Each structure stands twice: as C-alpha cells, then as structure tokens.
Amino acid sequence: MKKIALIYMGGTFGCIGEPLSPMPAEHFIPQLQQILPAHLAIECFVAPAIIDSSACTAENWLQLIQMIQQLQLQAYQYFVVLHGTDTLSYASATLAGFLGSSAHVVLTGSQSPLLDVTGQATRKITDAIDNLYFALNSVTTTAAGVYLAFHQQLIYAQSALKKHSTELDAFAGIDIRHHVQLQQRNHPVCDADVIKARTFNCLSVMAQPIAIEQQIINFKNLQRHPPHVLILQGFGTGNWAMNEDLIQTLQDIQAQGCAIILTTQVPFGPIEQRYAVNAWMQHAHILISDCLGHADLYAKALKMYLQYDTVEQWHVHWHE
C-alpha cells in the first residue's frame, strides 16, 4: 500500500475560535485523524512552523522542503500538505521549484475551518473535508510532481494564483488535463539555504499611470537601499513607459547587486517585446520573466538568490 505523509502547516484548515487562529498541532492532529479515510495508509506529521500563512516566508517553505526530502529517505513518496490559502500559491510554486518531479506532492487548504469554534467537532458546512479527500485521491493517482488541489480542481503548482478572497472556487491555474510540459528539477535544500533565505529581500513594484518624472523619484529613493531582487510589474504584455533617465536609474540600482526582472501585472499571459514602448528592454540589460505567474517568479528568484551571488551570474543562468 502507498504510504502518504500528511503534513499540517496551519492555516484556515486548522483554525478555531473567534477570531480564527491556528489550533495547536498536538490538539488538531487527533481531530484530523478521526476523519481520514480508513483504506489509505496515512501518517500525520507537523510542519516545522505552524503559523498564519500570511506570515510565511521562504525560510518556512525551505524547512518544509527539507522535511519532505528527509521523509523521502524513509520511503515516503506521497505527500499532502495542509497550508493556509493566503500564500498557498507561493508555497506551491516554491515546492515545485525545489522538489520538481522527485516526489508526488499535493498542497491544499480551505476557505473555512475543518472544526467548529470550540475545536471539538467538524463544522456542518466546510470545504475542508472535500479539499482534503480530493488531495488524498489526487496524490496517488497523478504523475510525480507538485500540484495544488482546491475545489475539485487539480492544477500545476507553478501556475497557481489565488483569484478570490472568500469564494470556495478560490484558485486559478493550468489544469493538469492540459498536459503542459514543465521543467521539473530537484534541488536538495541544505541548512545553509535556509539560513541564507532569512535575508532574502524581494520587492515587487506595480506600474501605475503616473508621470515618468515621478517614477524616477520613486526609484531614486529605492536606490538608497536596494533589495536583492526588484520585480517590475508592467502593464499588458510588460509595457512600461521609459526615458533615458529612468533607464539609467534602473541600471544604477542593478549596479549595486540588485537583480531587476520585468514581468506583467496581468495574471495570465506572456511578456512580449513587439511594442515600441518596450524598445528600452534591448539595452537596459534587465531580466525578462519566463515564469507562469507571480508566485512562480518569486520561487525562481529565490532559487537564483540561493545559487548565485552576482547579477551577472543571474543573467548567464536565467533561462536554464
């Protein structure tokens, strides 16, 4: 029988009380075990951190990946992760970026808790049980890789996007029935990666319809203390109005060791350079996103940050 490791990481799924807060794992796991399908070989585990997902960072997801990779050494190859929905897309993309197709991994969560306010019984109306059962069924019947299971939809983890804050149909992405060919590489996570991730500074700036002169002021302020990664979310296919002063400001930021990446603020669709407004990309020497969405780009930037120390190395290896 296939052994499934069910990992609890907090989130709405395991919340109780008013206002909602994550139930301590030692109290939640026994309640969770009572509803698990008897015909499956499931063992419950507690993630290294049980926190609200809005507080999750790269460090938490790398520790989770480490845990999964250690469990693989104990003959586990099937994993279901219960995670909060706020950053579920980022968790999914990060796990996909580091685990690749080395295991069968399905992440899920819920828009309402499994248990009632007291934490003593399951809620009469909740999507938690349905999402859990769907994830458990999917993990043993789908090809190796990382996926997000939610509201009877199984999507590739790299493409995940939270599209609604409260509805049960909360996520969008590429359905696995589309059979997209994705690059799936395993990257073992070591303690040094976790430590380095604590200082990972990634800033995303969404273009607004303001004068270029104001854009320059904003970026010059940023130039004083630049992040490791600056993501520019342009309009449409990545359009961003530029002039020589703004390009020079971006190059000055990049010269301080900040990798600058152009993407689009539009949820789906590729970056294109066919518009005249994008001619500046040819000589600005910035990176162009080739990712499936915002979370996927975050995961790729994190992986590049851990692997390479200079912007020049990022440019050499960006499209590998």
Side-chain angles (χ1 to χ4, degrees):
M1 184 179 289
K2 298 174 180 177
K3 293 198 303 181
I4 301 173
L6 178 58
I7 303 175
Y8 171 58
M9 200 170 171
T12 298
F13 197 104
C15 279
I16 58 171
E18 291 180 335
L20 293 173
S21 61
M23 189 177 190
E26 63 270 21
H27 299 147
F28 179 72
I29 294 299
Q31 297 277 23
L32 178 63
Q33 289 172 325
Q34 293 181 26
I35 67 159
L36 295 179
H39 68 283
L40 296 176
I42 304 171
E43 185 168 353
C44 295
F45 295 89
V46 179
I50 306 297
I51 54 178
D52 189 287
S53 69
S54 62
C56 284
T57 65
E59 178 184 1
N60 304 125
W61 297 318
L62 291 179
Q63 288 174 331
L64 174 63
I65 293 166
Q66 271 191 312
M67 180 182 186
I68 290 174
Q69 290 174 335
Q70 290 164 2
L71 286 171
Q72 286 182 281
L73 300 177
Q74 302 172 36
Y76 286 94
Q77 284 299 318
Y78 300 89
F79 302 89
V80 171
V81 178
L82 301 179
H83 192 286
T85 60
D86 281 349
T87 54
L88 181 52
S89 61
Y90 289 92
S92 300
T94 302
L95 264 64
F98 285 83
L99 292 171
S101 55
S102 65
H104 301 254
V105 183
V106 175
L107 293 93
T108 193
S110 63
Q111 291 287 65
S112 60
L114 172 67
L115 304 175
D116 62 16
V117 175
T118 67
Q120 300 302 311
T122 56
R123 288 199 173 210
K124 294 181 178 179
I125 300 176
T126 178
D127 62 331
I129 295 177
D130 182 63
N131 285 346
L132 173 61
Y133 287 3
F134 178 56
L136 290 170
N137 178 69
S138 299
V139 77
T140 58
T141 58
T142 308
V146 185
Y147 309 92
L148 171 60
F150 215 92
H151 197 61
Q152 293 298 310
Q153 183 184 19
L154 189 64
I155 61 180
Y156 291 102
Q158 296 97 318
S159 69
L161 169 73
K162 189 169 185 182
K163 66 178 183 179
H164 202 283
S165 58
T166 57
E167 287 186 358
L168 301 185
D169 186 11
F171 286 86
I174 302 175
D175 193 289
I176 65 162
R177 290 173 295 184
H178 292 167
H179 302 293
V180 176
Q181 194 68 30
L182 299 172
Q183 291 184 348
Q184 301 268 7
R185 274 194 219 172
N186 179 35
H187 177 87
V189 174
C190 63
D191 290 340
D193 291 328
V194 177
I195 293 171
K196 188 175 181 180
R198 292 172 187 166
T199 57
F200 179 53
N201 189 359
C202 179
L203 178 65
S204 185
V205 176
M206 180 183 289
Q208 299 296 306
I210 61 176
I212 290 182
E213 292 74 19
Q214 300 305 315
Q215 299 275 22
I216 293 173
I217 292 172
N218 291 336
F219 283 115
K220 284 193 176 297
N221 288 332
L222 183 62
Q223 187 179 342
R224 298 173 185 173
H225 300 286
H228 298 119
V229 183
L230 175 60
I231 298 173
L232 305 179
Q233 296 183 36
F235 300 109
T237 59
N239 299 328
W240 194 306
M242 286 282 165
N243 64 15
E244 288 301 322
D245 289 339
L246 182 48
I247 293 172
Q248 185 60 54
T249 302
L250 292 177
Q251 291 177 331
D252 291 342
I253 293 173
Q254 192 164 228
Q256 295 183 64
C258 172
I260 300 180
I261 309 167
L262 179 69
T263 185
T264 171
Q265 57 190 261
V266 180
F268 300 105
I271 296 293
E272 292 184 2
Q273 296 176 262
R274 59 194 172 99
Y275 291 98
V277 72
N278 280 348
W280 64 278
M281 294 184 204
Q282 301 298 324
H283 64 277
H285 194 58
I286 65 170
L287 297 162
I288 307 300
S289 175
D290 55 3
C291 299
L292 294 178
H294 301 310
D296 191 30
L297 180 54
Y298 168 89
K300 182 170 183 175
L302 170 64
K303 197 171 182 180
M304 296 290 288
Y305 169 74
L306 296 178
Q307 290 181 300
Y308 306 111
D309 295 322
T310 68
V311 174
E312 289 73 19
Q313 289 175 309
W314 281 52
H315 280 270
V316 170
H317 299 284
W318 181 248
H319 293 295
E320 291 181 353

